[in-house]
Amino acid sequence: LRPAVRDGGAAWRAQDIPVGIRMARRLNAGARQGGGIAGPKLAPNPMALEAMSAFLRHTNGRMPPYPEAIMSNADLADIHAYLQSIPKSPDYKSIPLLNR
């Protein structure tokens, strides 16, 4: 299932998780090439799409902003869908090897 997300104004579109995975990997590769820094925890339970958009578009930290000309609202929604699809890690108590 693809949840509907508002893209820009009042238009709604379906998010595409596989596209989000590819976009996230491309951005991660760019961060590694530039040295990268530790940032906010993105998954599971990512911040709301609107908050993520505001952060990426208007950041003034060490990470450069990603205006719409570089990352479209559709691409951002796809990355957000991918982050939402990442399952929470199991509780360590449910892993037998860790309970010896």
Side-chain angles (χ1 to χ4, degrees), residues 23-89:
M23 290 294 301
R25 286 182 180 156
R26 187 177 80 184
L27 291 173
N28 191 36
R32 282 196 310 269
Q33 291 172 1
I37 59 170
K41 180 181 166 199
L42 297 176
N45 303 322
M47 64 180 79
L49 179 58
E50 293 79 13
M52 186 174 165
S53 177
F55 175 77
L56 288 173
R57 304 273 189 236
H58 307 289
T59 182
N60 59 3
R62 291 176 56 185
M63 184 182 93
Y66 285 86
E68 236 182 298
I70 294 173
M71 181 187 302
S72 70
N73 287 335
D75 289 340
L76 182 57
D78 291 337
I79 291 171
H80 191 265
Y82 161 60
L83 294 174
Q84 285 181 311
S85 75
I86 297 173
K88 184 177 178 181
S89 299

Side-chain angles (χ1 to χ4, degrees), residues 89-100:
S89 299
D91 185 283
Y92 76 92
K93 294 175 186 171
S94 69
I95 303 171
L97 184 62
L98 297 177
N99 290 302
R100 293 185 179 176

